[in-house]
Amino acid sequence: MIAAEEMVTMARAPLFHASREAPQAIGPSKAKVDWDGLRQRMQGPLLRPGDPGFEDARKLFNPLNDDHIPAAVAQCESAEDVRQGVLAAANRVPLAARSGGHSYVGYSAPRGGLVLDLRRMATVSVQADGTAAVGAGASLRDVYSGLGRANRCLPGGSCFTVGISGVALGGGIGVLQRKFGLTCDHLVEAEVITADGRTLMASATRTPDLFWALRGGGGGNFGVVTRFTFTTDPAPPLTVFVLGFPAGKVPVTEVMTAWQPWIAGAPRELWANLNVSGGSDPSCRVAGCFVGPRSACTPLLDSLVARADVQPNRRTVEARDYFDAMRFFSGRPDRESFVASSRVLTAPTADPGGVVALLAGHSGMSLILDALGGAVADVDVQQTAFPHRTAFATAQIYATATAASEAEVTRSVGQVVKGLADLGFSGGYVNYIDPDLPDWGRSYYGPNLERLRSVAHDYDPDRVFDFAQSLSRA
């Protein structure tokens, strides 16, 4: 689905290879966009190069994508603004929607195209029945703040500046997923502007095929979501924690060896990830969230330490409310230059030492394993478009980079991704999108790929929402 940041989670520069490209996309027509006419028809501003505010409006979270200069940024204030933008640009210039702007490789800022910036459409309102209406431009900070004030919660990602659209459309992994499921599991309705300018309400009873695809099919394939309706749960007391362990290949290997069966056998109230930082002296930490009081969380952490037989040199365990717990994981709001990819661990790896060895030569690179299981696995693999229901964990490979080092860092990330595949990691998470991931269509969507292709063709037969990793190219 194109609405969201991860729709646009994808193109730092044309890194895709001709040998892997799908059939040539339907190219833009020779007709030009009537920018002046579009500006007059929009309620929100339309910014073009040279206009005040354009430079800030066009930039994404990752500075490595600063060379992506669109022809215009439409700062949409309504679904009608989105519709006008789609109709004006369709098959004339590349078209992408954006909410948070965290597209890993820049697909939300198509060169020479139109960006539908949804960030002015960020209203969050909670109804008496606990459902939440959320504008497609809302950031996770907006969502968690709005829900927190109503004492409700929705599982989602961790970074506060990420947009809800990209999170939900790609599935939505996060710190509450083992207890409450994925973000997309709470979606009950979505307002969608299609390639031909129609406004559809996608739900289980209306356009059920589109509704199925929106729950994990990724951004940029079917239309532009302008509003979501989610079910929410009462906000529970939460406990957040971080355990930092001494550096070295041996202790890190021992922690990974212990972490796998520990989290696999943990109650679904407990979620934790394992972050391994590469380099000549690798290090690791375990961070997570427990749905319940600190007194019930502490024994679980003690059992991990006992399994690993490695004493942490840092231990933080704090009781927090919903909003403050989400803020604990939010990271820095600053822009950050990086190269990233993903894999999926279908079952605990039999060779933790081999995984640690892969990272040992790569300073500035991290491998982040986010545990699945629990409520995520309660939903059938083909009940939604998100295919990794039975997997043990997702794996994000994340490396800091600069414009000067990008090519070398990209090669290093590719080496680690290949090495993980050799160790049994397979698949990939579409919200950690990577144009160099081998067999990316099958990696992201697994057994749901063919059905997703069909839905994308039904709703966008002329490939208005085409991009380098759109379903029409998978």
Side-chain angles (χ1 to χ4, degrees):
M1 176 74 239
I2 189 175
E5 79 214 29
E6 274 118 81
M7 163 220 142
V8 263
T9 288
M10 329 163 200
R12 133 186 359 116
L15 296 178
F16 27 89
H17 306 297
S19 61
R20 287 203 278 112
E21 287 221 18
Q24 187 66 34
I26 297 174
S29 72
K30 294 182 180 180
K32 294 182 179 181
V33 177
D34 179 7
W35 297 117
D36 290 337
L38 176 58
R39 179 179 280 117
Q40 293 172 6
R41 293 190 298 274
M42 284 187 57
Q43 179 182 357
L46 179 72
L47 304 178
R48 301 210 60 208
D51 289 344
F54 174 81
E55 281 300 305
D56 287 338
R58 74 171 182 84
K59 290 180 180 178
L60 304 179
F61 179 76
N62 189 342
L64 295 182
N65 299 318
D66 281 355
D67 60 343
H68 289 227
I69 303 176
V73 177
Q75 295 183 318
C76 301
E77 296 188 358
S78 64
E80 178 60 20
D81 278 358
V82 173
R83 191 180 78 87
Q84 292 294 341
V86 169
L87 292 175
N91 293 131
R92 293 177 176 88
V93 295
L95 179 63
R98 182 181 76 201
S99 55
H102 282 249
S103 169
Y104 275 14
V105 286
Y107 287 164
S108 52
R111 292 180 175 90
L114 175 62
V115 174
L116 299 173
D117 186 341
L118 308 177
R119 288 176 291 182
R120 295 186 176 208
M121 302 167 61
T123 302
V124 177
S125 62
V126 180
Q127 310 306 312
D129 63 358
T131 59
V134 180
S139 68
L140 291 183
R141 173 186 283 276
D142 296 328
V143 173
Y144 297 151
S145 177
L147 294 181
R149 288 193 297 269
N151 201 31
R152 307 294 296 184
C153 79
L154 175 73
S158 55
C159 180
F160 263 22
T161 57
V162 165
I164 186 62
S165 291
V167 172
L169 296 172
I173 65 174
V175 302
L176 297 177
Q177 64 190 16
R178 285 171 51 85
K179 175 63 175 179
F180 296 110
L182 302 176
T183 309
C184 73
D185 296 336
H186 291 255
L187 181 65
V188 293
E189 187 176 72
E191 180 183 72
V192 186
I193 307 300
T194 61
D196 56 3
R198 290 177 295 156
T199 300
L200 300 180
M201 301 304 295
S203 69
T205 56
R206 292 182 289 182
T207 61
D209 54 343
L210 179 59
F211 181 65
W212 172 86
L214 296 181
R215 292 175 293 158
N221 291 298
F222 315 107
V224 182
V225 171
T226 53
R227 187 177 70 249
F228 298 91
T229 301
F230 297 104
T231 59
T232 66
D233 291 284
L238 299 171
T239 302
V240 297
F241 58 86
V242 176
L243 302 179
F245 292 91
K249 292 182 182 179
V250 172
V252 172
T253 298
E254 290 175 343
V255 172
M256 180 179 286
T257 299
W259 177 81
Q260 293 187 121
W262 173 75
I263 194 61
R268 60 177 55 199
E269 287 77 14
L270 179 69
W271 172 90
N273 70 8
L274 175 68
N275 187 324
V276 180
S277 297
S280 57
D281 203 23
S283 61
C284 74
R285 68 179 184 271
V286 173
C289 184
F290 178 74
V291 181
R294 178 176 175 174
S295 59
C297 178
T298 297
L300 296 170
L301 302 182
D302 291 342
S303 70
L304 171 63
V305 173
R307 278 178 181 266
D309 198 22
V310 178
Q311 285 299 314
N313 51 19
R314 174 193 174 195
R315 180 166 176 154
T316 300
V317 187
E318 299 177 355
R320 297 201 175 195
D321 64 22
Y322 171 66
F323 179 78
D324 283 341
M326 297 304 101
R327 184 166 55 185
F328 181 81
F329 296 101
S330 65
R332 298 187 314 228
D334 305 329
R335 301 177 76 211
E336 187 171 345
S337 299
F338 64 91
V339 175
S341 187
S342 67
R343 281 292 183 183
V344 175
L345 192 53
T346 56
T349 179
D351 189 5
V355 174
V356 175
L358 274 177
L359 276 293
H362 298 285
S363 180
M365 185 183 299
S366 295
L367 172 68
I368 306 166
L369 300 178
D370 291 315
L372 296 172
V376 178
D378 290 345
V379 179
D380 185 75
V381 169
Q382 294 181 303
Q383 188 173 334
T384 69
F386 181 84
H388 308 301
R389 295 288 181 176
T390 61
F392 167 62
T394 57
Q396 181 177 190
I397 304 91
Y398 189 98
T400 57
T402 64
S405 68
E406 180 183 4
E408 179 57 35
V409 172
T410 300
R411 282 191 289 271
S412 295
V413 168
Q415 290 171 2
V416 171
V417 169
K418 182 181 183 304
L420 291 173
D422 293 340
L423 290 172
F425 289 61
S426 61
Y429 180 38
V430 70
N431 281 353
Y432 301 151
I433 207 155
D434 174 7
D436 284 343
L437 186 67
D439 193 18
W440 50 265
R442 191 68 58 183
S443 293
Y444 298 143
Y445 304 119
N448 295 328
L449 177 59
E450 283 73 23
R451 184 178 176 187
L452 282 167
R453 282 182 182 140
S454 177
V455 176
H457 181 267
D458 288 346
Y459 286 91
D460 185 17
D462 295 327
R463 295 166 69 171
V464 167
F465 300 122
D466 181 64
F467 59 99
Q469 285 185 297
S470 63
L471 279 164
S472 59
R473 299 189 183 206

